[in-house]
Amino acid sequence: MLALVASLAACSVLESDKIDYKSAGKAPTLEVPPDLTQLSRENRYAVPGNAVSANAYQAGVANAPGVPTAVANLGDVRMERSGTQRWIVVNRSPEQLWDPIKDFWQESGFLLTTEQRNLGIMETDWAENRAKLPQDVIRGTLGKLVDAIYSTGELDRFRTRIERGANGSTEIFVSHRGMQEVYTNTRQDQTVWQPRPSDPELETEFLRRLMVKLGVSQEQSKLIAQASAPAQTARVSNVGGQPVVQINESFDRAWRRVGLALDRTGFTVEDRDRAAGVYFVRYVPPNPDKKEPGFFAKMFSGSGKTEAPLKFRILVKGQGETSTVSVQNDSGAAETSANAQRIVQVIADDLK
């Protein structure tokens, strides 16, 4: 009997390899890095479609038959890729696509906490992928009675950016941001939420599902998502005493990739001017010397003060088949500070 129970538990774990989001509504409110939206309190999420995960998706790609490289399309929808970044191009206007994209996230069970039609930005709340929990016999038997005591210690949110492209087309980007709960002391009685790396395969899976929403079949969307492209490189350099990122791509592709990198890495993009090649962002520099106050210190010291975000301009300048990314201050002057060095390094790391 024990062997049978163990085997059933193992099978349950394998079968749980899928997407099944649930918000952080029942989790305690923990510390969130500056300039990140506070975790919201909502109900259960369940993404429609076949059960998938980043690992399962990657395995499927490895075993799939050959498909066209770089760009694959069907009808008025196509997917483009550069390195680990992918995005959708649709031959429809942003005005035609806003409501279908909004419906896609709502039909997927997500609640949108940000809707900025003028900037073409939507963002979901923080949610927990409950499929990562072990599906053991006890949890499978008692179900929701003990569901509240289980936690993955990880949260995800997704941002959709919609940009007007050439010839009346629209470019759609989906970026993932993750958080993980970590202990702050050896007694393991205090925790904080910290950022964790974005998941490009999870971004691709939601782009694929969005393609289905826009009229592509399930099987066709899987083949399109598997299309590959040569890896592109980005490197940090110094030009005239200013740190920059040099990208071996034309302005159009560099502009898209830098925008997605900013979304992924937690910058707040307040505005953008594609004609001038400028993203207007807010940035909170890290403070390694800052110590977290204890419980009683927080209680009796009043509301704590957080570091004020700094405003920068991220300039993308193209010249033929290469582009340069640099940082400017809020007035448009070249920035050479340590913050500029950190910013270009973060962008370069995401573009590799």
Side-chain angles (χ1 to χ4, degrees):
M1 286 297 294
L2 289 175
L4 177 60
V5 169
S7 63
L8 290 174
C11 292
S12 298
V13 172
L14 293 176
E15 292 170 359
S16 70
D17 195 21
K18 61 183 180 179
I19 291 176
D20 180 20
Y21 279 98
K22 186 173 183 179
S23 77
K26 294 182 181 180
T29 302
L30 302 175
E31 295 298 322
V32 179
D35 209 36
L36 289 179
T37 304
Q38 187 68 20
L39 308 181
S40 59
R41 298 177 175 272
E42 295 302 328
N43 291 323
R44 188 177 184 85
Y45 291 116
V47 177
N50 296 330
V52 295
S53 71
N55 290 336
Y57 174 79
Q58 183 67 25
V61 171
N63 297 324
V67 291
T69 60
V71 178
N73 65 287
L74 186 74
D76 67 344
V77 182
R78 72 179 187 269
M79 179 178 287
E80 296 194 7
R81 173 178 176 177
S82 184
T84 62
Q85 297 177 335
R86 291 181 176 89
W87 61 93
I88 294 174
V89 181
V90 186
N91 293 332
R92 306 175 208 174
S93 68
E95 292 77 15
Q96 292 174 298
L97 291 168
W98 180 268
D99 288 337
I101 295 173
K102 178 179 178 180
D103 291 343
F104 165 75
W105 288 112
Q106 292 178 335
E107 290 168 2
S108 300
F110 287 94
L111 186 71
L112 294 175
T113 59
T114 299
E115 296 181 54
Q116 295 178 293
R117 187 183 286 261
N118 59 322
L119 295 179
I121 291 176
M122 302 179 193
E123 193 165 35
T124 71
D125 61 348
W126 291 100
E128 183 180 36
N129 188 359
R130 305 290 287 181
K132 291 186 176 181
L133 294 173
Q135 303 295 313
D136 52 41
V137 175
I138 296 177
R139 184 167 182 263
T141 303
L142 299 181
K144 294 182 179 180
L145 293 178
V146 296
D147 198 51
I149 67 175
Y150 285 83
S151 174
T152 65
E154 294 184 355
L155 294 170
D156 303 295
R157 79 184 311 171
F158 298 91
R159 174 182 291 183
T160 307
R161 183 160 50 86
I162 306 166
E163 285 200 9
R164 194 181 303 274
N167 303 320
S169 65
T170 300
E171 297 167 352
I172 306 171
F173 306 82
V174 172
S175 57
H176 163 256
R177 292 169 65 188
M179 301 279 286
Q180 60 184 350
E181 188 178 9
V182 298
Y183 290 107
T184 59
N185 55 34
T186 56
R187 296 191 303 273
Q188 297 189 349
D189 56 2
Q190 293 181 352
T191 60
V192 295
W193 289 100
Q194 293 183 352
R196 77 177 201 276
S198 61
D199 187 339
E201 296 300 337
L202 200 53
E203 294 169 350
T204 300
E205 176 57 26
F206 276 99
L207 282 172
R208 185 193 69 77
R209 294 183 182 213
L210 179 56
M211 294 180 75
V212 174
K213 170 68 175 179
L214 297 178
V216 179
S217 72
Q218 289 281 358
E219 291 304 317
Q220 290 166 331
S221 70
K222 291 177 182 178
L223 291 175
I224 291 174
Q226 291 163 11
S228 61
Q232 303 292 339
T233 60
R235 65 187 185 280
V236 175
S237 184
N238 191 290
V239 177
Q242 183 182 16
V244 299
V245 182
Q246 294 183 331
I247 309 173
N248 296 333
E249 292 183 302
S250 64
F251 171 80
D252 286 341
R253 294 181 71 86
W255 172 262
R256 299 184 189 108
R257 297 190 67 198
V258 170
L260 185 54
L262 293 173
D263 289 340
R264 277 179 171 179
T265 51
F267 289 87
T268 300
V269 179
E270 294 184 323
D271 202 354
R272 58 183 181 269
D273 184 346
R274 181 167 181 151
V278 177
Y279 287 96
F280 300 85
V281 304
R282 285 190 287 121
Y283 170 71
V284 178
N287 185 358
D289 298 327
K290 182 179 178 181
K291 295 183 178 180
E292 289 291 331
F295 174 78
F296 290 104
K298 291 180 181 179
M299 178 179 293
F300 296 109
S301 63
S303 58
K305 295 182 180 179
T306 58
E307 296 288 338
L310 304 176
K311 292 189 177 183
F312 293 100
R313 300 182 185 186
I314 309 300
L315 175 63
V316 183
K317 192 173 183 179
Q319 186 175 6
E321 293 303 312
T322 62
S323 300
T324 302
V325 183
S326 58
V327 181
Q328 300 177 335
N329 63 22
D330 194 30
S331 302
E335 182 75 26
T336 59
S337 65
N339 283 332
Q341 181 68 46
R342 280 193 289 265
I343 290 171
V344 298
Q345 188 63 60
V346 167
I347 294 173
D349 289 343
D350 190 82
L351 293 177
K352 289 179 180 178

